[in-house]
Amino acid sequence: MARLINDIDDLKRHIIVSASFDFKKVLPFAKRVERNLVLKLIGNEQYDAIVVHQYDENSTDPINYVKGFLEEAVSNFALLLALLFLQQNTNQIG
């Protein structure tokens, strides 16, 4: 199933962190954000329409802006959740 954030390259387009950062740890959180937040807010029909839209950097079509903004929001919120999770696990180990 296609999503807004499908792989690490999608995350890297919207998140700037250290070159040594492990984006694999953020990817599962992006799926969770899409499922638990985005789908609940906009519904399946709108979500599907946005996901299948081919993003074009030069387009001024409103759906293009919406897809870009949603990708960015999902990426950043997933990073926040991942960092909170990673911090909790680090504190329990140390």
Side-chain angles (χ1 to χ4, degrees):
M1 176 176 121
R3 298 189 328 234
L4 291 166
I5 304 299
N6 292 297
D7 54 32
I8 292 172
D9 290 333
D10 291 341
L11 286 171
K12 287 181 177 181
R13 260 198 330 270
H14 301 287
I15 299 174
I16 299 171
V17 290
S18 167
S20 63
F21 184 77
D22 187 2
F23 280 92
K24 290 181 212 165
K25 293 180 180 180
V26 178
L27 206 51
F29 290 92
K31 182 178 181 181
R32 189 176 303 165
V33 169
E34 287 187 41
R35 185 179 57 245
N36 294 334
L37 184 66
V38 175
L39 273 169
K40 287 182 181 180
L41 289 173
I42 66 174
N44 287 331
E45 187 177 329
Q46 287 296 317
Y47 175 80
D48 291 341
I50 292 167
V51 167
V52 299
H53 172 74
Q54 278 299 103
Y55 182 77
D56 177 10
E57 290 182 18
N58 301 317
S59 174
T60 58
D61 192 14
I63 194 169
N64 207 54
Y65 289 120
V66 171
K67 183 166 187 167
F69 292 145
L70 276 176
E71 284 181 357
E72 186 175 352
V74 167
S75 297
N76 283 289
F77 195 50
L79 176 64
L80 175 65
L81 292 177
L83 290 176
L84 292 172
F85 176 78
L86 294 171
Q87 180 184 16
Q88 286 176 338
N89 288 339
T90 302
N91 289 340
Q92 290 175 359
I93 294 170

